[in-house]
Amino acid sequence: MIQDISAIMFDERQIHTRIKELGEQISKDYCGKTPVLLCILKGASMFMADLMRSITIPVEIDFMAISSYGDSRKSSGVVQIKKDVDVNLDGRHVIIVEDIVDTGLSLKYLKDYISKHNPNSLATCVLLDKPSGHKIEVSVEYIGFQVANEFVVGYGLDYAQKYRNLPFIGILKEEVYS
Ligand code: 5GP
């Protein structure tokens, strides 16, 4: 796998340092509450596992699985729900935990969908944000890192279901997908 990576963008130490900071911020902001961390599978699985361990207040967790139509590198914004939420979100403080925001279309869909469950509050925590890719305005309360418009894999993020188990975030060589 490593031979398909052109450069390491964030190594394990950088990722864990930043996630610790995010966890501390969330613990402070939600002090006295028990938020529901809603992990969006599969890309956010590794992020979720580390983020929840860095939060020091009680949390509940749940998972949603979605898939987006279109080619495997660009989301179309048309999302299919493969696994729905189990926890009753009515009146709860919900934090969506996502891997990456590019166009923002998937996140917009998710936020609209979760809003219909009448949460008390709804926030979003994403590991990576690509500001230059945004096609719509979508608010994100917690961002791990802002990145340039490169296709990245590792730490849960895939290309054609591969590379998720890399412990770092790296740029995929163009020759792999072109
Ligand atoms: P959006 O709807 O914001 O354009 O795209 C979000 C989804 O597209 C992410 O959840 C992810 O599945 C995929 N995506 C966008 N950029 C990247 C990237 O650089 N690497 C990988 N592996 N997936 C990406």
Side-chain angles (χ1 to χ4, degrees), residues 49-172:
D50 284 337
L51 180 69
M52 62 192 274
R53 279 180 288 188
S54 73
I55 295 176
T56 52
I57 57 166
V59 295
E60 271 187 52
I61 62 167
D62 201 359
F63 298 87
M64 259 184 97
I66 60 168
S67 73
S68 145
Y69 295 102
D71 95 33
S72 51
R73 284 188 309 115
K74 275 278 158 212
S75 93
S76 60
V78 183
V79 170
Q80 188 188 10
I81 295 175
K82 300 276 192 180
K83 187 220 162 285
D84 210 338
V85 275
D86 292 324
V87 173
N88 180 1
L89 301 179
D90 195 343
R92 302 299 305 271
H93 296 282
V94 179
I95 305 174
I96 295 174
V97 179
E98 244 296 35
D99 53 358
I100 184 165
V101 180
D102 185 6
T103 62
L105 295 169
S106 307
L107 188 56
K108 165 91 171 65
Y109 174 91
L110 280 168
K111 288 179 84 167
D112 289 349
Y113 182 78
I114 299 301
S115 296
K116 291 185 189 133
H117 289 71
N118 298 315
N120 189 326
S121 69
L122 179 57
T124 307
C125 180
V126 301
L127 179 61
L128 302 173
D129 177 35
K130 284 184 185 171
S132 59
H134 292 191
K135 283 192 180 151
I136 48 162
E137 215 182 290
V138 60
S139 61
V140 180
E141 286 71 18
Y142 305 97
I143 297 173
F145 304 99
Q146 289 197 320
V147 294
N149 202 14
E150 309 263 20
F151 191 78
V152 294
V153 293
Y155 198 73
L157 289 127
D158 76 311
Y159 172 63
Q161 299 303 325
K162 237 175 112 181
Y163 309 104
R164 292 193 199 276
N165 54 323
L166 289 173
F168 55 80
I169 296 165
I171 301 171
L172 191 63

Side-chain angles (χ1 to χ4, degrees), residues 24-45:
E24 280 166 9
Q25 190 61 52
I26 290 172
S27 306
K28 222 161 104 189
D29 294 351
Y30 288 83
C31 183
K33 300 171 182 150
T34 304
V36 179
L37 298 179
L38 180 59
C39 172
I40 309 303
L41 297 170
K42 304 174 186 167
S45 53

